[in-house]
Amino acid sequence: MKKSRVLISLAKKSEAEIQIAVAAVVTGCKDNVNFEFTNGELTTLTADGIDYGQRLSDCKSGNHSDITIKNKSKAKVIESYRVICTEINRQHKGDTEILQTSGATLTADSLQKKSTDDKPVAKGLKGVAGAAATELDVKVDVIAGLTEYGTMFACIEALGAPDDANLWPKTFTPSHHTTIGGLKPATRYMLSAAYVGSDGKTLAFCSPILVATKLL
């Protein structure tokens, strides 16, 4: 049985995603009694995150020197994030609830739950930041005989979210895609979906994914 763990790499993330991920860990770990960072990991990540945000602002003009400095700051904050997330895993590897309080992103296999029934699970769930910073555009694959009855999307702020998608706020659409509004900017959300059967009942929710709204 696989144990829960958080992702330690931001190398493939966009600049906005890096800022969101760093801010989430800084917020989640600050005054968090579940973790003890004796080597200053949180202090370092906080400082590197602030520096990276400033360097991003400085390089908007496209100046080559500013971009070079920004890239060095980016590499530094990515490394600081790797160090603190490695420590988060070391201290509480396997405890999903405690790991979620850190603000770090859990791996997909940590979030996946085994289904004990044979109800069709939604396939191809995808979510991206919407046109507004308070929206997410979401969709699932079209499967004949299932999506024709509609789709139920469940979405909740990632930090402190319960594992059961049935407990999350839900949005129904008679189609297979929709826009979920009323969310917080620059915030990570857990997203799941379930097809709706011909009897109007929601079928099994799929394994959740993590998506983030845009910065303002």
Side-chain angles (χ1 to χ4, degrees):
M1 181 178 178
K2 292 183 177 180
K3 293 183 178 180
S4 296
R5 58 193 177 88
V6 301
L7 293 171
I8 65 173
S9 176
L10 294 177
K12 295 183 179 181
K13 300 294 184 181
S14 67
E15 292 176 340
E17 288 173 330
I18 290 173
Q19 286 185 294
I20 291 170
V22 169
V25 170
V26 169
T27 300
C29 288
K30 183 179 180 181
D31 300 323
N32 190 332
V33 297
N34 293 314
F35 301 98
E36 183 178 2
F37 301 108
T38 57
N39 294 318
E41 295 91 343
L42 184 58
T43 301
T44 299
L45 181 65
T46 302
D48 289 345
I50 293 172
D51 181 73
Y52 180 54
Q54 183 60 55
R55 301 306 177 186
L56 279 175
S57 179
D58 291 343
C59 74
K60 288 181 178 179
S61 63
N63 180 282
H64 178 72
S65 176
D66 288 339
I67 292 175
T68 299
I69 294 172
K70 181 266 294 183
N71 288 338
K72 290 181 179 179
S73 180
K74 178 180 179 181
K76 190 175 180 181
V77 76
I78 286 175
E79 174 60 16
S80 297
Y81 187 89
R82 184 193 67 78
V83 169
I84 196 170
C85 286
T86 298
E87 182 61 17
I88 288 170
N89 281 330
R90 187 192 70 79
Q91 291 189 28
H92 290 289
K93 186 175 182 180
D95 192 321
T96 303
E97 291 186 2
I98 291 180
L99 289 174
Q100 284 182 315
T101 69
S102 71
T105 301
L106 268 69
T107 60
D109 57 350
S110 297
L111 293 169
Q112 188 168 2
K113 296 174 67 178
K114 299 295 183 181
S115 176
T116 58
D117 55 41
D118 57 358
K119 294 179 181 178
V121 175
K123 304 293 184 182
L125 175 62
K126 294 179 181 176
V128 296
T134 55
E135 297 177 340
L136 290 174
D137 291 332
V138 297
K139 67 178 182 178
V140 292
D141 289 347
V142 178
I143 298 180
L146 289 174
T147 43
E148 64 187 56
Y149 298 112
T151 310
M152 189 71 75
F153 290 97
C155 181
I156 191 169
E157 192 170 345
L159 186 60
D163 290 338
D164 188 354
N166 288 287
L167 302 177
W168 305 352
K170 300 176 183 64
T171 301
F172 172 76
T173 172
S175 180
H176 63 284
H177 59 86
T178 192
T179 297
I180 300 174
L183 307 177
K184 296 179 182 178
T187 301
R188 297 182 312 145
Y189 284 86
M190 291 181 70
L191 175 69
S192 185
Y195 297 128
V196 175
S198 57
D199 58 0
K201 293 183 179 180
T202 301
L203 304 182
F205 278 98
C206 65
S207 297
I209 61 174
L210 283 165
V211 290
T213 49
K214 293 194 300 188
L215 294 165
L216 281 175

